[in-house]
Amino acid sequence: MNPFWSMSAASGRKRPEADEKTLSGELRTSPPRASAKKQLPSVPKNAVPVTKPASPAMSSQSTNGTHASYGPFYLEYSLLAEFTLVVKQKLPGVYVQPSYRSALMWFGVIFIRHGLYQDGVFKFTVYIPDNYPDGDCPRLVFDLPVFHPLVDPLSGELDVKRAFAKWRRNHNHIWQVLMYARRVFYKIDTTSPLNPEAAVLYEKDIQLFKSKVVDSVKLCSSHLFDQPKIEDPYAIVFSPWNPAIHDEAREKMLTQKKPEDQHCKSMHVSGLSWVKPGSVQPFSKEEKTMPT
C-alpha cells in the first residue's frame, strides 16, 4: 500500500462512530484496499485531456472541448512551427506571409524561372482548416486562375488533395504543399484534371497549349500591381519600379562582399611539409628535449 495514499485517506475521512466503537472493543482486520478508488477533484468545464479519440464518433465530441480549453493556443503554436519550417526549407521562387487578421490564411507568390510557365508570377492564398493539424489538408487558391490541368478554371484552386489525399499529422506540413504548388508548373500531370481543356491540349496539341500558357502568364503579369482581393496589412503587394526607392536596395543585393576564406586563400601560408623536398620520404619534426 502506498503510505502517502494511506495517510491522506486516513486524515481526509472521518471514521464513523460505529467503527470507532468496534475498534475500541476488539481488533478487526480491515478489508483489502485494492478495490478502493481515489477521489479526484472534479474536472473543470471544457477541460479535456489530450487523448486520441477511440472512435470517429467521439472525435466530434472531443473537438469542441479541446478548442474551448487549450485548442487555440495549440493551434497558434502549430502554425508558428509550420511557418518556421517554411523559412528553413528556403523553397526557390516561393514566398509566403501569414495574414495579419488570421493565422489560418497565408498570402504567397510563386516565381517560375524556366519551363513552359517561364516568367510566370502567380499570387495565391493558402487557407488552413481551423482544426489543423487534425483536419483536412490546406487549400491553395490562385488570385487569377492559371491555365493548368490541375487548376480549376473558375475558382483558381489547385488540386492539392491529389498529393495529400489524407492529411497526416506530424508527417505532412504546409511547406510540402508549397513545394507541390511549385512543382506542378515544371512537371505537368494530366490525370483526372480540374481543367480538362488544358489536359487535352497538353496531350494532343502542345503548341496550342504553350500559346494558352503564354497568354495566362501575360494575364497574371498585367494584374500584378492590382490591389489585393483581401484587405489585409500583410497581403503581398507589388509596385512599379521606383529608382528613388528600389535602386539602393538593388545595389545592396547585388554587391557581394569578398568571403573571408577567399581572402585567406590569397595570402601566402607557410607551414611544415610532411614530405622532405627533393624526395618522397616522409619526415616528422624532431622534438626538442627540455633540459631536466
Side-chain angles (χ1 to χ4, degrees), residues 255-270:
T255 302
Q256 297 181 358
K257 295 182 179 180
K258 191 174 182 180
E260 294 182 1
D261 57 345
Q262 207 172 17
H263 177 68
C264 294
K265 289 181 180 179
S266 62
M267 297 176 61
H268 178 71
V269 180
S270 60

Side-chain angles (χ1 to χ4, degrees), residues 1 73 115 138 205 222 248 259:
M1 185 190 306
F73 304 101
D205 193 343
S222 65
E248 183 180 356

Side-chain angles (χ1 to χ4, degrees), residues 226-252:
D226 293 353
Q227 291 299 315
K229 293 183 178 181
I230 301 176
E231 186 178 352
D232 192 285
Y234 288 173
I236 297 178
V237 181
F238 289 88
S239 60
W241 181 266
N242 185 348
I245 299 176
H246 302 121
D247 273 349
E248 183 180 356
R250 181 176 180 270
E251 290 300 325
K252 289 182 179 180

Side-chain angles (χ1 to χ4, degrees), residues 1 28-33:
M1 185 190 306
R28 295 184 59 183
T29 59
S30 60
R33 302 294 295 275

Side-chain angles (χ1 to χ4, degrees), residues 49 55 67 84 91 93 126 149 206 220:
S55 63
H67 278 280
T84 302
L91 302 177
V126 177
I206 189 63
C220 293

Side-chain angles (χ1 to χ4, degrees), residues 21 30 72 123 151 184 198 217 258 267:
K21 293 179 180 179
S30 60
K123 297 168 66 176
V151 178
V184 298
V217 169
K258 191 174 182 180
M267 297 176 61

Side-chain angles (χ1 to χ4, degrees), residues 36-276:
K37 295 183 179 180
K38 300 180 181 180
Q39 299 295 327
L40 298 178
S42 59
V43 180
K45 186 179 180 181
N46 295 329
V48 179
V50 184
T51 56
K52 187 176 181 180
S55 63
M58 295 178 60
S59 62
S60 60
Q61 298 176 3
S62 63
T63 301
N64 294 334
T66 302
H67 278 280
S69 57
Y70 61 82
F73 304 101
Y74 177 75
L75 176 62
E76 182 180 1
Y77 173 81
S78 299
L79 294 176
L80 287 174
E82 287 290 340
F83 186 74
T84 302
L85 288 176
V86 171
V87 174
K88 289 183 177 180
Q89 290 300 320
K90 298 180 180 179
L91 302 177
V94 181
Y95 302 90
V96 290
Q97 172 68 39
S99 167
Y100 172 81
R101 305 187 186 282
S102 172
L104 297 172
M105 183 169 57
W106 294 10
F107 304 109
V109 59
I110 298 178
F111 295 87
I112 307 300
R113 293 162 180 166
H114 59 84
L116 295 174
Y117 292 85
Q118 184 175 356
D119 298 330
V121 182
F122 307 125
K123 297 168 66 176
F124 62 87
T125 305
V126 177
Y127 297 95
I128 305 170
D130 58 357
N131 58 343
Y132 185 87
D134 297 319
D136 205 352
C137 63
R139 296 168 51 236
L140 191 147
V141 182
F142 292 99
D143 288 11
L144 293 176
V146 185
F147 187 77
H148 191 284
L150 303 185
V151 178
D152 189 288
L154 299 178
S155 65
E157 182 170 356
L158 176 66
D159 188 5
V160 177
K161 290 187 177 181
R162 175 185 300 264
F164 307 93
K166 182 180 180 181
W167 190 262
R168 292 182 292 174
R169 177 178 182 175
N170 297 330
H171 181 79
N172 297 128
H173 300 281
I174 297 178
W175 72 264
Q176 296 170 333
V177 176
L178 300 175
M179 184 175 66
Y180 168 74
R182 175 183 178 272
R183 187 173 65 242
V184 298
F185 292 106
Y186 295 102
K187 186 178 180 181
I188 310 299
D189 186 6
T190 59
T191 57
S192 302
L194 293 182
N195 188 338
E197 179 189 2
V200 171
L201 290 180
Y202 181 80
E203 294 290 344
K204 298 183 177 180
D205 193 343
I206 189 63
Q207 295 302 324
L208 183 56
F209 176 82
K210 290 181 179 179
S211 177
K212 286 187 173 289
V213 166
V214 170
D215 294 340
S216 180
V217 169
K218 289 181 178 179
L219 177 63
C220 293
S221 298
S222 65
H223 290 276
L224 192 60
F225 302 131
D226 293 353
Q227 291 299 315
K229 293 183 178 181
I230 301 176
E231 186 178 352
D232 192 285
Y234 288 173
I236 297 178
V237 181
F238 289 88
S239 60
W241 181 266
N242 185 348
I245 299 176
H246 302 121
D247 273 349
E248 183 180 356
R250 181 176 180 270
E251 290 300 325
K252 289 182 179 180
M253 289 187 290
L254 295 178
T255 302
Q256 297 181 358
K257 295 182 179 180
K258 191 174 182 180
E260 294 182 1
D261 57 345
Q262 207 172 17
H263 177 68
C264 294
K265 289 181 180 179
S266 62
M267 297 176 61
H268 178 71
V269 180
S270 60
L272 295 176
S273 173
W274 294 103
V275 178
K276 189 175 182 178

